[in-house]
Amino acid sequence: AASVVWTRCDCSSRAHSTSSWCTRSERRMPELTEACNDVLDSVHMRGSPDESDFVRPLLLGCESRDVKSVVTSLDGIQKLVAFGVLDGRERTVDGATISHLVVASAWKAFSVDREEVFLQLAKCLTTCITGSNFEVHDSSLLDAFRTCFNIVLVARSGDTQSA
């Protein structure tokens, strides 16, 4: 089992300036990098973040159009829903539920025309729809089904179509 080490991305420091991924992500996705750093600060200060704290970077990753970020974000969302960490009922400042934002971000991730994104998208959405702890209703449920149906139509791989 691989272990994950979380470090703050501060590309202004010399220690991180040699890392090509760090500087590349900082330039291409500054909002995503800032959101990840905010969550890391929250974890270091409070010990465990709230549901709304760590959802924002995952949603931004889904909307980034970067294949690696989209797949990683969808995988993170899928795992958080599967393990019951996300329930989707919490409301954000604008009144939308977390489940609505997750499905809307997944819909945006569909525009990344890659098989690995389609596969992870199908896994994430089916987990969200069928999860007993995660509530998806109304237009969000319709969008989730529509996205799954579009994956079946567009995907080239039989594995992705059957997922």
Side-chain angles (χ1 to χ4, degrees):
S3 63
V4 177
V5 177
W6 295 94
T7 58
R8 183 173 170 76
C9 180
D10 182 13
C11 293
S12 60
S13 71
R14 283 288 175 217
H16 288 286
S17 65
T18 58
S19 170
S20 62
W21 185 86
C22 186
T23 55
R24 206 171 357 119
S25 69
E26 180 76 16
R27 276 182 279 157
R28 289 186 326 185
M29 299 175 275
E31 190 177 4
L32 177 59
T33 304
E34 180 184 331
C36 291
N37 288 336
D38 290 346
V39 171
L40 290 173
D41 289 342
S42 174
V43 168
H44 290 299
M45 291 170 62
R46 288 187 287 171
S48 65
D50 294 331
E51 179 178 327
S52 60
D53 289 342
F54 57 83
V55 169
R56 184 172 174 258
L58 294 172
L59 297 178
L60 289 171
C62 287
E63 297 171 8
S64 70
R65 298 189 51 85
D66 177 58
V67 175
K68 192 174 188 179
S69 296
V70 170
V71 169
T72 304
S73 296
L74 288 170
D75 185 51
I77 291 169
Q78 190 257 337
K79 284 184 171 63
L80 290 172
V81 170
F83 292 124
V85 176
L86 284 180
D87 64 6
R89 289 184 289 253
E90 185 175 330
R91 294 200 175 269
T92 60
V93 176
D94 60 354
T97 61
I98 298 289
S99 63
H100 176 75
L101 296 176
V102 165
V103 173
S105 293
W107 175 255
K108 291 175 186 173
F110 180 74
S111 65
V112 180
D113 190 18
R114 297 285 296 268
E115 285 294 315
E116 56 263 36
V117 172
F118 292 156
L119 181 61
Q120 195 59 50
L121 193 54
K123 288 174 17 180
C124 179
L125 286 175
T126 54
T127 301
C128 289
I129 293 169
T130 61
S132 60
N133 297 332
F134 198 77
E135 297 182 4
V136 180
H137 299 291
D138 302 326
S139 63
S140 298
L141 184 60
L142 179 63
D143 287 342
F145 278 121
R146 187 180 311 155
T147 305
C148 290
F149 181 73
N150 288 339
I151 289 170
V152 171
L153 293 177
V154 175
R156 294 171 279 291
S157 167
D159 292 337
T160 304
Q161 288 176 338
S162 64

